[in-house]
Amino acid sequence: MSYKDIKVVFIDWYGTLSVTKFWHQLENPKHPHHLYWEIIEAEMTDQKQQFLDPWMRGQINTEDVVRRIAKATNLSYSILFDEFVKSAETLSVIPGALPLIHQIRSKGIHVAIATDNMDSFYRWTVPSLNLKLKFDSILNSAVSRVLKRDCSDSGQNIFFSRFMRERDVLAHECLLIDDSASLEPVIRSVDMQFVPIPFGEGLIPVLNELLVE
């Protein structure tokens, strides 16, 4: 694929830039609340269809979700919430990605995070990891209240269209790198370029290709 006309690179967060989970520190057997890990994982799996979509659309917040999990599992809300915040503050970016992103930005290409994410992302992750300094823009569904797959009746992608209008860029000048292959027909239908990658893999080669254009 040729990237020579690309002016904006959108990069997904979970599964693309990062593979770190919420409450990830509890996975460590030495953590004092390690026993919470499997209970939380099971509850998140069972209940995610009920709260994941509204959480990413900004209709409910982290406190609401943690309260639901605490009630369903009979675990301590305060411990769950405190550990959630710690995890959100310590999510990690895939090794080697940030230096390449810095080089791409140095070429004059706008690099943005485009994520179907939660209020926790802008409340704790973005400031803790200084992401506003490492990316030109951050598009978060919990802020815009629309997901990357959302399109208007006229076929316009709602998530990206406002950004493109404000930045005066055309859809074919924009590229999305994302591990969600199901997004490909939606993104390509509005003339944006799309590169699907396997979960947690493939980002570095794509970034390197962008640098050689």
Side-chain angles (χ1 to χ4, degrees):
M1 179 183 289
S2 174
Y3 301 121
K4 65 179 181 179
D5 297 324
I6 294 298
K7 294 182 179 179
V8 180
V9 176
F10 295 109
I11 308 177
D12 171 54
W13 180 257
Y14 185 63
T16 305
L17 271 166
S18 176
V19 294
T20 319
K21 293 182 176 181
F22 294 140
W23 288 290
H24 60 88
Q25 70 275 19
L26 302 186
E27 194 171 11
N28 184 347
K30 295 182 179 180
H31 194 283
H33 301 300
H34 171 63
L35 292 177
Y36 279 34
W37 174 252
E38 289 188 4
I39 300 173
I40 294 169
E41 281 284 279
E43 187 62 25
M44 288 284 283
T45 300
D46 290 343
Q47 300 295 325
K48 69 179 180 180
Q49 296 304 322
Q50 298 182 35
F51 63 69
L52 187 62
D53 201 77
W55 195 10
M56 293 191 300
R57 292 183 183 275
Q59 297 167 354
I60 58 176
N61 62 23
T62 298
E63 285 83 350
D64 296 325
V65 172
V66 174
R67 197 173 292 114
R68 289 187 190 189
I69 294 174
K71 183 177 180 180
T73 59
N74 203 30
L75 298 177
S76 164
Y77 169 82
S78 61
I79 291 175
L80 281 174
F81 184 76
D82 288 348
E83 294 295 343
F84 179 93
V85 173
K86 290 176 184 176
S87 71
E89 292 176 333
T90 54
L91 300 180
S92 59
V93 176
I94 287 174
L98 291 176
L100 294 175
I101 288 166
H102 176 74
Q103 292 180 55
I104 292 169
R105 293 176 66 198
S106 298
K107 294 180 63 175
I109 297 174
H110 190 106
V111 182
I113 295 173
T115 177
D116 289 339
N117 218 307
M118 298 80 174
D119 62 305
S120 58
F121 194 67
Y122 62 77
R123 290 170 70 184
W124 299 297
T125 306
V126 170
S128 178
L129 303 185
N130 292 316
L131 295 180
K132 286 186 177 180
L133 298 179
K134 297 168 183 174
F135 294 84
D136 296 298
S137 300
I138 299 174
L139 282 65
N140 181 356
S141 64
V143 176
S144 63
R145 295 180 178 264
V146 292
L147 303 180
K148 283 179 278 188
R149 66 172 183 263
D150 291 346
C151 292
S152 66
D153 292 339
S154 63
Q156 190 176 51
N157 186 283
I158 304 171
F159 186 94
F160 293 103
S161 59
R162 180 178 177 182
F163 174 92
M164 288 189 280
R165 286 196 305 271
E166 291 178 348
R167 298 285 176 175
D168 194 26
V169 293
L170 301 175
H172 73 269
E173 298 171 326
C174 299
L175 168 71
L176 172 62
I177 308 170
D178 203 301
D179 70 297
S180 299
S182 61
L183 281 173
E184 185 164 6
V186 177
I187 298 302
R188 292 197 181 278
S189 71
V190 294
D191 204 28
M192 288 176 60
Q193 296 195 46
F194 183 84
V195 176
I197 63 169
F199 181 90
E201 301 176 13
L203 176 61
I204 300 302
V206 177
L207 296 179
N208 277 318
E209 286 180 33
L210 282 161
L211 281 170
V212 300
E213 288 290 343

